[in-house]
Amino acid sequence: MRPRTISLMVTLGVFLGGFGLLWVASGGKSHAGSATPQGRDQLFVFPLNSTKSRVSVRSPWRRGHMTPQDDQVELTLEGTCATAHLYAYLSTGWDHGPLNAAAVILGTPLHPKIGTPPTVIRHDADSALVLSRGSGRGVLVTRAARRDYNALLVDWHGKSGCSPSARGRAARELGRLFDTFRVMDRPDITRTGTASLRIL
């Protein structure tokens, strides 16, 4: 073999070896085939108001902003077909259980005299998830103490120009906010499940 041919073969071998090492180090996925930020869950952490604790949610959406508002902190997440505003706080002094607390925080009675009642997605002795699709709001409460509940209030707004399938995907992604809500120093208090929402 000519020295030039040998040199080309060695250079090609080093290049292919380096590429293979990069492929293995990245978990066997090329950058072209990896998920986009919109399709991969990210962890968002923000304060649980009136406490020293922090809470977390997971979402494929991007962070819009996190803004202090009086005694609350608003975390805004932007999806392709919806925007969600999240508020987390400790709600104290409830004597009638999580379902009643969730309905009062939501601002819609469970049995209103006028209008559509909210939808109870799930509830038990320690937690409740209640949605008002008409107002585009939902609240999850989980027991923190005998009369106190950690609350996640989500206010969402749909975006125009989305197909029905894209709206359905956005609804599932909204439900994931409730499913992944955790108080970081109490990681075992939230049940898992799927929250069924509709983007209007």
Side-chain angles (χ1 to χ4, degrees):
M1 275 188 188
R2 295 179 181 178
R4 183 176 175 85
T5 305
I6 293 173
S7 176
L8 284 172
M9 290 180 67
V10 169
T11 302
L12 183 62
V14 169
F15 173 77
L16 291 175
F19 182 77
L21 185 61
L22 181 63
W23 186 82
V24 169
S26 65
K29 296 178 181 178
S30 68
H31 291 292
S34 63
T36 62
Q38 188 68 22
R40 179 176 49 223
D41 264 2
Q42 300 178 65
L43 183 68
F44 297 94
V45 178
F46 59 111
L48 180 70
N49 295 343
S50 304
T51 73
K52 294 182 180 179
S53 299
R54 296 169 71 79
V55 300
S56 66
V57 295
R58 289 188 174 274
S59 175
W61 295 0
R62 64 179 178 82
R63 190 174 106 164
H65 61 265
M66 188 159 61
T67 310
Q69 293 189 341
D70 298 327
D71 62 339
Q72 295 185 346
V73 174
E74 174 193 345
L75 171 64
T76 297
L77 299 180
E78 294 279 352
T80 303
C81 290
T83 299
H85 307 283
L86 285 67
Y87 307 87
Y89 51 93
L90 180 65
S91 184
T92 62
W94 298 101
D95 290 315
H96 301 292
L99 188 58
N100 178 265
V104 173
I105 293 168
L106 185 64
T108 306
L110 291 171
H111 305 287
K113 295 179 179 179
I114 300 173
T116 306
T119 302
V120 178
I121 301 298
R122 63 178 184 264
H123 74 98
D124 56 27
D126 294 317
S127 68
L129 173 56
V130 182
L131 306 174
S132 174
R133 290 183 174 88
S135 63
R137 302 178 84 215
V139 64
L140 169 69
V141 296
T142 58
R143 189 181 295 276
R146 188 174 64 84
R147 301 173 66 236
D148 302 342
Y149 294 92
N150 297 311
L152 174 68
L153 176 65
V154 179
D155 185 0
W156 67 84
H157 309 279
K159 298 180 181 180
S160 60
C162 291
S163 67
S165 62
R167 290 178 185 274
R169 183 174 63 252
R172 291 189 296 274
E173 290 167 350
L174 267 172
R176 183 140 179 76
L177 296 175
F178 295 106
D179 293 338
T180 60
F181 174 67
R182 298 290 183 271
V183 178
M184 298 186 75
D185 59 353
R186 296 279 304 281
D188 59 336
I189 61 174
T190 306
R191 295 180 56 197
T192 58
T194 300
S196 175
L197 297 99
R198 181 180 60 180
I199 305 299
L200 300 174

